[in-house]
């Protein structure tokens, strides 16, 4: 079954919900059409308009008015909580001040962000919070958001007594916990539970004894923390810090002298990040607001950078010493390669390599050499590499690692929808009612993508996980189909059979955009769930439920991984999934589509 005119793949996915909501619009000049439909109110004596859903704080920020904030992070995925009261503003006619981070304006409301009452209240909040902080020079982060705001509102001391402070926790190798600086703003809890959905951090205790805890008040290093570092990035005080920037007393010692914006070098999600560097050494990594990650990172991108300064890392070319022959049973100690190699210049090394390749080609003919490229290279590098093989080696013996992991998916996609590219981004699942994840273990292989699946399940989407292994996403799944290994085609055929037999397919889409449906329907007739259940091990009733759920969804999306593509039936597996999407018209709209993921 395939598309006739490619309409499925032509409709490009839309930007994920919420993306870019943090951008300032300037707020000057004539009102746009959208603004003119918003809510008019008065901010510091000026008539302004709030967009749909905007809080007073967001309108103020869009118009260039800064209001202190601690428990609120104006970043994608973070809801306001309104607990710290650092952002209080005065609303005319109201007896009490309002928390601007959570309060939405109403028509005609008059708000003063800098009245004497509001400023006095904010100063008092900071004075109370400072009473529990260590002296600034002994603080885990004297340049934190907290201290920056304290500077701006000119508070640096407190009249109030300090409470008893929990002991520091240095049990984690990558993160330092120092609750002496904690203001119980709850941002780390939202980071862990709502953004990354790892459910490790919580609040425990009451009153002055309240504190954040990991699991059942375990040391962080012995908790179920997966070290995504989201809580560290969110913490406004330095109570949670990258261990690489504090000393053994938990005082910040490392301040970056420059930053470099880059893309994470690990998996294919494409998370954008910022490297913070001091004296040409990488100090710590922060997530950046890219379309694939919206500031999120996983343990690899955030903390996996020690290899850069590892003493075994080759920084200069090594050239085999004259007289040291290659032997299959020989080993080289990476800490002491000088037994076999000497240092050379790049010119010498490149010249030697080129001469060696040329010698082989001239001696053994132009079919003697071949090249195998890596997906770690850029498009430009891949282009240059094939050029080297074709023009330098003189043959077409060039291949790429992606053809191993993705070839089956590309073959099926080319055959059915005419393009080997995926039709949706990970983040599209924000718009999906039903999400199928099959043959993939995203919490381990693509952890940032997994956060979007978990976010969607948390908001109520039906998550269907198909995998012989009982993997971590199972906890979030509505249906977990642990089929017998190698029986994906039988399981998927059972689902396809139900959709055809019960007439659940999208007749309009099938008629307008596909061909071969009649033959497909005839073929799938023999694969009833009752026949497939003994083969794949999934009960027939569950196959029926999944088929109905997917087919009836307003928007359903399929993500598949190498558990189905790197397989003897890889192309068949992909064909089944593509047929499923096409026959149900679940493609070409927001929240729908087909997405295969590579390593
Ligand atoms: S590092 Fe990630 S998983 Fe660990 S506690 Fe922080 S937010 Fe939760
Ligand atoms: S550790 Fe940081 S983010 Fe968490 S509650 Fe304390 S101050 Fe807030
Ligand atoms: S930032 Fe508004 S209450 Fe904390």
């Amino acid at each position: 079954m395939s598309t006739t005119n490619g309409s499925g793949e032509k409709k490009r996915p839309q930007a994920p919900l919420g993306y870019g909501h943090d951008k300032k619009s300037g707020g000057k000049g004539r009102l746009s059409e959208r603004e003119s439909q918003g809510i008019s109110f008065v901010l510091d004596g000026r008539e302004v308009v709030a967009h749909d859903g905007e809080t007073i704080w967001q309108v103020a920020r869009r118009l260039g008015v800064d209001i202190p904030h601690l428990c609120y992070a104006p970043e994608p995925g973070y809801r306001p909580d309104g607990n710290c009261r650092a952002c209080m503003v005065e609303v005319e006619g109201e007896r009490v001040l309002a928390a601007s981070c959570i309060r939405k304006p109403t028509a005609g409301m008059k708000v003063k962000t800098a009245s004497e009452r509001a400023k006095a209240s904010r100063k008092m909040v900071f004075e109370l919070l400072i009473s529990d902080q260590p002296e600034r020079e002994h603080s885990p982060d004297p340049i934190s958001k907290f201290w920056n705001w304290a500077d701006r509102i000119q508070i640096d001391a407190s009249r109030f007594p300090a409470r008893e402070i929990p002991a520091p926790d240095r049990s984690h190798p990558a993160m330092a916990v120092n609750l002496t600086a904690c203001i119980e703003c709850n941002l780390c809890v939202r980071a862990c539970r709502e953004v990354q959905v790892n459910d490790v951090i919580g609040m425990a205790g009451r009153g002055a004894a309240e504190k954040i805890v990991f699991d059942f008040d375990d040391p962080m290093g012995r908790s179920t923390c997966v070290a995504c570092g989201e809580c560290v990035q969110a913490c406004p005080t330095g109570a949670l810090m990258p261990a690489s920037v504090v000393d053994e007393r938990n005082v910040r010692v490392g301040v970056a002298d420059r930053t470099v914006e880059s893309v994470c070098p690990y998996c294919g999600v494409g998370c954008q990040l910022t490297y913070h560097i001091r004296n040409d050494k990488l100090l710590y990594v922060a997530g950046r607001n890219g379309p694939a990650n919206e500031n999120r990172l996983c343990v690899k991108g955030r903390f996996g950078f020690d290899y850069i300064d590892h003493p075994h890392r080759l920084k200069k070319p090594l050239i085999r010493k004259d007289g040291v022959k290659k032997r299959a049973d020989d080993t080289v100690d990476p800490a002491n390669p000088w037994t076999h190699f000497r240092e050379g210049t790049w010119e010498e090394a490149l010249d030697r390599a080129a001469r060696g390749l040329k010698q082989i080609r001239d001696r053994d003919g132009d079919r003697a050499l071949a090249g195998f490229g890596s997906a770690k290279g850029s498009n430009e590098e891949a282009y240059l590499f094939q050029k080297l093989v074709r023009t330098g080696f003189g043959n077409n013996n060039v291949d790429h690692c992606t053809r191993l992991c993705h070839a089956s998916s590309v073959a099926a996609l080319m055959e059915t929808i005419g393009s080997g590219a995926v039709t949706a981004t990970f983040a599209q699942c924000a718009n999906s009612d039903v999400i199928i994840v099959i043959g993939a273990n995203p919490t381990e292989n693509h952890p940032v993508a997994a956060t979007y699946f978990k976010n969607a399940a948390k908001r109520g989407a039906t998550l269907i996980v198909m995998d012989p292994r009982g993997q971590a996403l199972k906890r979030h799944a509505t249906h977990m189909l642990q089929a017998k290994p190698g029986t994906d085609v039988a399981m998927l055929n059972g689902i396809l059979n139900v959709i055809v037999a019960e007439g659940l397919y999208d007749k309009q889409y099938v008629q307008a955009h596909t061909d071969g449906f009649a033959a497909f329907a005839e073929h799938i007739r023999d694969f009833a769930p009752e026949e497939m259940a003994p083969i794949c091990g999934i009960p027939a009733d569950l196959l029926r439920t999944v088929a109905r759920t997917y087919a009836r969804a307003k928007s359903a999306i399929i993500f598949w991984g190498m558990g189905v593509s790197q397989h003897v039936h890889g192309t068949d597996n992909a064909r089944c999934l593509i047929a499923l999407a096409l026959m149900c018209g679940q493609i070409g709209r927001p929240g729908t589509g087909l997405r295969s993921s590579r390593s």
Side-chain angles (χ1 to χ4, degrees):
M1 188 175 165
S2 61
T3 51
T4 49
N5 57 9
S7 66
E9 76 274 18
K10 275 181 195 159
K11 291 182 186 172
R12 287 285 130 217
Q14 295 182 346
L17 287 178
Y19 176 60
H21 83 272
D22 195 20
K23 291 194 179 118
K24 296 185 183 187
S25 69
K28 291 197 178 135
R30 292 181 53 193
L31 295 178
S32 67
E33 198 181 327
R34 179 155 180 238
E35 281 177 319
S36 68
Q37 292 164 358
I39 293 161
S40 291
F41 72 107
V42 176
L43 185 79
D44 294 336
R46 172 180 169 194
E47 183 116 358
V48 298
V49 176
H51 296 165
D52 278 353
E54 270 187 325
T55 60
I56 295 171
W57 191 97
Q58 286 168 330
V59 178
R61 173 173 156 134
R62 178 162 56 78
L63 299 172
V65 178
D66 276 353
I67 303 175
H69 56 289
L70 294 172
C71 74
Y72 174 59
E75 312 294 349
Y78 285 86
R79 64 170 171 81
D81 196 48
N83 69 56
C84 77
R85 314 318 256 183
C87 65
M88 303 307 270
V89 294
E90 187 167 355
V91 178
E92 196 175 284
E94 293 191 3
R95 190 176 56 82
V96 294
L97 299 174
S100 62
C101 69
I102 202 162
R103 180 75 180 271
K104 292 192 177 145
T106 52
M109 180 187 261
K110 291 195 172 91
V111 178
K112 290 181 194 154
T113 66
S115 71
E116 287 311 313
R117 255 183 93 203
K119 286 199 292 190
S121 163
R122 300 196 296 238
K123 282 188 171 194
M124 176 59 83
V125 166
F126 272 82
E127 196 183 338
L128 284 163
L129 293 173
I130 281 181
S131 69
D132 291 335
Q133 297 286 317
E135 294 293 325
R136 189 166 184 170
E137 59 271 25
H138 301 129
S139 163
D141 191 5
I143 55 169
S144 67
K145 181 172 158 182
F146 175 83
W147 284 112
N148 278 323
W149 273 115
D151 284 346
R152 287 179 69 175
I153 64 172
Q154 296 173 331
I155 291 284
D156 59 7
S158 177
R159 290 163 286 171
F160 305 109
R163 64 178 184 141
E164 204 179 318
I165 298 300
D169 170 7
R170 294 300 297 267
S171 59
H172 199 285
M175 290 168 280
V177 183
N178 197 350
L179 296 187
T180 178
C182 177
I183 57 171
E184 284 99 44
C185 70
N186 200 295
L187 264 174
C188 56
V189 179
R190 278 170 278 158
C192 191
R193 291 184 176 267
E194 298 174 20
V195 178
Q196 293 263 352
V197 201
N198 291 326
D199 298 330
V200 178
I201 307 186
M203 283 282 178
R206 284 170 183 264
E210 186 185 40
K211 62 168 187 166
I212 64 154
V213 293
F214 303 94
D215 292 339
F216 295 104
D217 205 1
D218 296 314
M220 188 188 208
R222 288 205 282 282
S223 71
T224 55
C225 169
V226 296
C228 67
E230 184 80 29
C231 54
V232 168
Q233 183 158 311
C235 180
T237 65
L240 303 171
M241 287 289 279
S244 54
V245 300
V246 291
D247 65 14
E248 63 289 347
R249 298 165 303 144
N250 287 310
V251 176
R252 181 167 190 152
V253 284
V255 179
D257 53 34
R258 68 187 172 103
T259 57
V260 173
E261 301 202 332
S262 190
V263 178
C264 177
Y266 287 97
C267 80
V269 169
C271 297
Q272 295 190 13
L273 42 73
T274 304
Y275 291 118
H276 292 254
I277 297 161
R278 180 185 172 82
N279 297 334
D280 289 334
K281 293 254 189 262
L282 218 165
L283 207 53
Y284 66 99
V285 181
R288 202 150 49 92
N289 192 1
N293 64 317
E294 296 176 308
N295 301 314
R296 305 173 193 191
L297 290 177
C298 76
V299 59
K300 296 175 279 183
R302 177 135 8 229
F303 296 120
F305 55 80
D306 48 352
Y307 66 90
I308 294 171
D309 295 312
H310 196 282
H312 293 176
R313 186 175 165 210
L314 287 181
K315 292 183 179 166
K316 293 198 174 142
L318 297 185
I319 294 172
R320 184 170 284 274
K321 286 178 172 171
D322 290 336
V324 180
K325 296 272 179 233
K326 287 185 186 173
R327 281 195 352 248
D329 60 348
D330 200 8
T331 49
V332 179
D333 177 1
N336 179 27
W338 315 119
T339 51
H340 293 62
F341 297 94
R342 65 174 172 81
E343 213 168 270
T345 62
W346 280 108
E347 288 72 22
E348 184 189 5
L350 289 170
D351 191 51
R352 276 209 176 204
R355 266 191 289 125
L357 291 167
K358 194 165 170 293
Q359 262 170 14
I360 295 171
R361 185 197 64 189
D362 295 345
R363 186 186 65 216
D364 300 328
D366 59 12
R367 294 180 65 78
L369 291 167
F372 192 72
S374 161
K376 287 284 180 202
S378 63
N379 282 346
E380 291 76 11
E381 285 159 345
Y383 175 83
L384 288 173
F385 186 67
Q386 63 81 34
K387 203 78 178 164
L388 169 73
V389 175
R390 293 203 163 107
T391 60
F393 297 178
N395 63 48
N396 287 324
N397 294 338
V398 59
D399 211 337
H400 192 269
C401 73
T402 310
R403 210 177 61 79
L404 172 68
C405 63
H406 198 46
S408 47
S409 299
V410 169
L413 286 163
M414 290 296 290
E415 175 188 298
T416 49
I417 65 171
S419 163
V422 300
T423 76
T425 62
F426 284 117
Q428 265 309 304
C429 67
N431 302 321
S432 310
D433 302 327
V434 173
I435 300 157
I436 292 181
V437 178
I438 177 168
N441 189 358
T443 49
E444 286 179 18
N445 294 327
H446 303 100
V448 169
T451 65
Y452 290 98
F453 300 147
K454 293 186 280 183
N455 290 154
K458 213 174 168 72
R459 102 176 126 71
T462 301
L463 177 63
I464 301 168
V465 179
M466 303 175 175
D467 198 313
R469 301 160 300 176
Q471 46 147 298
L473 218 48
K474 181 178 182 178
R475 180 165 76 84
H476 306 270
T478 310
H479 303 295
M480 177 76 202
L481 278 61
Q482 281 181 253
K484 294 179 194 166
T487 63
D488 308 81
V489 170
M491 176 178 69
L492 294 169
N493 275 351
I495 292 168
L496 292 166
N497 172 283
V498 175
I499 294 171
V500 173
E502 297 187 8
L504 299 174
Y505 54 93
D506 183 338
K507 295 165 191 74
Q508 211 173 10
Y509 187 90
V510 165
Q511 191 181 24
H513 299 296
T514 68
D515 62 14
F517 181 74
F520 165 78
E522 183 58 31
H523 172 76
I524 207 72
R525 195 195 292 270
D526 294 334
F527 299 89
E530 287 70 19
E531 303 290 331
M532 298 300 103
I535 302 171
C536 65
I538 304 299
D541 280 353
L542 183 51
L543 293 175
R544 284 187 195 285
T545 303
V546 167
R548 290 167 187 157
T549 305
Y550 178 85
R552 287 175 180 152
K554 215 164 122 202
S555 51
I557 198 161
I558 300 173
F559 296 92
W560 76 86
M562 289 188 282
V564 289
S565 58
Q566 283 191 353
H567 198 284
V568 285
H569 289 296
T571 309
D572 293 332
N573 289 336
R575 282 185 186 123
C576 289
L577 294 167
I578 297 162
L580 184 58
L582 291 181
M583 72 195 285
C584 296
Q586 298 288 17
I587 192 165
R589 291 177 285 113
T592 67
L594 296 157
R595 161 101 203 185
S596 66
S597 35
R598 291 159 243 183
S599 53

